[in-house]
Each structure stands twice: as structure tokens, then as C-alpha cells.
Amino acid sequence: MRREDLTSRSTKVKFLFIAFAVLFLIFNYYPEFSGNSEIQQQTSSKMTKIINVPSPREFDDILNENLKTSKRLFVLVFGSLVLETKQSWCPDCVRAQPLIYDALDKIDDVVLLDCPVIRAEYKGNPEYPYRTHAGLQIKAVPTLIHWTKEGPKERWVEGECERPTLLDELKKASLHD
């Protein structure tokens, strides 16, 4: 075999290996790319059904579909994950998300619509769709909204999502569903 053939074959193998590794990382850390936007969070005996909303243009359809069948619905708008750090670009989101998920897991029959925002599209853009959406009107991330068939009800923004009383507030809000 010629040396050129070996080099070419070796390069192709390396390229394929890297391509598969990148796809593996994307599908494991960004479920919206895998086609599996529903994730069951299993951190307690009660389970929050988490539905990833891949983009703002899909929000209304996913919201309306889940309002038909969900007993308790919450919407979380947060900074998307950064591939290199596997954390949100938003420090408030990094602190608040685990607290929110934990609190919601302690409430029966909860559906959470996870709405990540990409920093480059969101930051400083007053026309970002979640900012201009009639029901969302996002001013900052994270924002957690309790949503009923009548529309958005209670709302927790930034540091409010980290309050020690969050679980009690969420339970109280969801009693009226």
C-alpha cells in the first residue's frame, strides 16, 4: 500500500471519530437536537415532566398542547448551556435551576416547559421573541412563570427563583389550578 493511501485513510478515520464524538456530546447535553425534547427528571418520588422548547417560534404550540392535558404548568426561561462549561451562561440560572427543579419535583403532576435562550440572540435585544411575547414579557433570566388555562399567573424573576420559600410559593400557586 502506498503511504498516501494510509495517510488519507488515517485522516478519514480521525475525522469520523471526531465527528461522532461531537454528535455524542451535542445529543447528550442538548436534548433539543436529539429530537427527544421530553425529559423526565427523576430526583424524587414525584416526577416533573420537563419539556424542552427548542426555539421561541415553537413556544405557543407546545404551550397550548400542554395546557390541554396538564394539571400544573410552569414555564422556565433561562440562559442556555455553554458547551465548554456545560453550564448556563447566566450565573443566576446556574444557581436557580437546581432549586427550581427540586422544588417542582416535590409537587404532584407538574409539567415544566424549559425555554433556553442563547446569549448572543437574547442579550441586549429588546425584540427577542420571549421579551415581546404577550404572555411572557421576559425582562431577565431566569424567569419562572406559573401558567394556567387563563394565562400567566405568578412570576419569579432572577433572585426570586433562589428564595428559601420558593417551594411554599410554588405549592401555594399550584393549589388554584
Side-chain angles (χ1 to χ4, degrees), residues 32-46:
E32 63 268 23
F33 290 111
S34 69
N36 180 15
S37 60
E38 291 190 20
I39 304 167
Q40 294 289 326
Q41 177 143 340
Q42 302 178 12
T43 57
S44 72
S45 58
K46 299 178 183 181

Side-chain angles (χ1 to χ4, degrees), residues 80-128:
S80 62
L81 295 180
V82 175
L83 189 57
E84 295 81 22
T85 64
K86 297 176 186 70
Q87 289 189 327
S88 172
W89 55 263
C90 163
D92 291 336
C93 299
V94 171
R95 289 188 304 274
Q97 276 183 280
L99 302 173
I100 293 167
Y101 293 150
D102 187 53
L104 290 175
D105 260 355
K106 293 180 172 103
I107 303 170
D108 286 323
D109 303 318
V110 170
V111 172
L112 176 66
L113 301 187
D114 251 359
C115 304
V117 295
I118 297 169
R119 183 170 204 230
E121 296 172 7
Y122 170 80
K123 271 306 232 193
N125 179 2
E127 298 303 313
Y128 189 77

